[in-house]
């Protein structure tokens, strides 16, 4: 099991990126959350099998149809999300 914090930049807000992330993460059996950041990025905390997190990171490079992804970065994290995968409110950075 692993936890990664993923940051996605580009045109990723206002294009259903968070909803898409929730569906995609659940498909891979991950727990965690996704939220918009005030600087225009999307932040994701994903917990689960390393291979499944890798699949999510790769999927995030494409995103939903209306998105334009410029960059995806992922770092290991020690936070442990609660059960399920949820959408959170925008956070200040």
């Amino acid at each position: 099991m692993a936890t990664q914090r993923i940051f996605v930049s580009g045109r990723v807000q206002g294009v259903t990126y968070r909803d898409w992330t929730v569906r995609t993460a659940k498909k891979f059996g991950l727990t965690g959350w996704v939220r918009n950041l005030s600087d225009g990025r999307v932040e994701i905390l994903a917990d689960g099998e390393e291979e499944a997190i890798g699949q999510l990171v790769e999927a995030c490079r494409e995103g939903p149809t209306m998105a334009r992804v410029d960059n995806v970065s992922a770092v290991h994290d020690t936070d442990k999300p609660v059960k399920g995968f949820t959408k959170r409110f925008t956070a200040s950075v």
Side-chain angles (χ1 to χ4, degrees):
M1 298 295 275
T3 304
Q4 287 199 8
R5 191 170 301 266
I6 305 161
F7 295 94
V8 185
S9 62
R11 190 181 71 199
V12 293
Q13 292 189 11
V15 294
T16 70
Y17 204 99
R18 288 181 301 159
D19 291 328
W20 173 87
T21 300
V22 169
R23 288 191 308 274
T24 303
K26 285 180 177 180
K27 180 175 81 172
F28 294 135
L30 299 169
T31 59
W33 49 259
V34 58
R35 66 182 173 190
N36 287 337
L37 295 176
S38 60
D39 64 2
R41 294 178 298 160
V42 167
E43 178 183 19
I44 304 161
L45 184 70
D47 186 69
E49 297 294 330
E50 264 190 71
E51 183 177 332
I53 293 173
Q55 290 173 314
L56 176 64
V57 170
E58 284 307 308
C60 285
R61 295 184 194 289
E62 183 94 12
T65 306
M66 299 293 292
R68 185 198 75 243
V69 177
D70 294 336
N71 188 51
V72 176
S73 63
V75 295
H76 289 283
D77 203 289
T78 57
D79 283 353
K80 291 295 179 189
V82 293
K83 294 181 181 183
F85 205 98
T86 61
K87 183 169 68 170
R88 290 189 171 181
F89 292 108
T90 300
S92 298
V93 288

